[in-house]
């Protein structure tokens, strides 16, 4: 059985979130939570929240044993970009893309 959770429109670039997500892929949920608690990256907090949500979703299913769960799949997709402009020299403007992420965590029993 599987349990999943998705967080959309997280205001961190997908490139930065993927660095954190790669740390927990394939790990048991207790180990993954410890890793995310002590990771000193801004993206660790939203990833930890999605993992906690997936664990809560698994608890709602009577067929899943919480002690045997591991992170089967975790991936980050790019969301929409906020487009902003910054003033540059001689009246020009440079574009800035503020990127967003969609984080998906899928848990499975061993």
């Amino acid at each position: 059985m599987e349990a999943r959770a998705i967080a959309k429109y997280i205001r961190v670039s997908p490139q930065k979130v993927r660095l954190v997500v790669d740390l927990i892929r394939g790990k048991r949920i207790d180990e993954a939570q410890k890793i995310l608690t002590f990771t000193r990256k801004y993206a660790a907090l939203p990833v930890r929240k999605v993992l906690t949500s997936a664990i809560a979703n698994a608890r709602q299913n009577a067929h899943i044993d919480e002690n045997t769960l591991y992170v089967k799949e975790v991936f980050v997709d790019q969301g929409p970009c906020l487009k902003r402009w910054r003033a540059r020299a001689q009246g020009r403007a440079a574009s800035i893309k503020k990127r967003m992420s969609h984080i998906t965590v899928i848990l499975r029993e061993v």
Side-chain angles (χ1 to χ4, degrees):
M1 296 292 292
E2 291 184 350
R4 70 171 49 213
I6 302 171
K8 292 189 172 189
Y9 308 107
I10 305 297
R11 257 295 293 127
V12 184
S13 76
Q15 182 179 7
K16 293 177 182 179
V17 180
R18 285 184 188 117
L19 292 173
V20 175
V21 159
D22 289 341
L23 297 173
I24 65 165
R25 188 174 286 117
K27 303 275 198 278
R28 295 178 55 89
I29 59 168
D30 54 346
E31 186 180 352
Q33 284 181 320
K34 289 177 187 173
I35 289 170
L36 292 174
T37 301
F38 296 107
T39 300
R40 297 184 62 182
K41 292 271 190 189
Y42 179 80
L45 180 64
V47 173
R48 192 172 78 209
K49 285 184 177 182
V50 178
L51 178 64
T52 305
S53 178
I55 294 168
N57 293 343
R59 284 187 189 135
Q60 296 299 315
N61 192 335
H63 303 293
I64 296 179
D65 182 19
E66 184 183 344
N67 298 323
T68 62
L69 288 175
Y70 74 100
V71 180
K72 177 190 171 198
E73 261 185 273
V74 57
F75 54 90
V76 181
D77 296 323
Q78 182 166 342
C81 291
L82 293 174
K83 293 178 182 170
R84 300 290 182 256
W85 296 98
R86 182 169 188 182
R88 305 308 276 171
Q90 298 180 358
R92 293 186 178 97
S95 64
I96 297 174
K97 290 184 180 177
K98 295 182 177 271
R99 300 179 188 274
M100 292 186 208
S101 303
H102 301 319
I103 305 169
T104 304
V105 176
I106 301 172
L107 303 178
R108 187 174 188 145
E109 288 182 299
V110 174

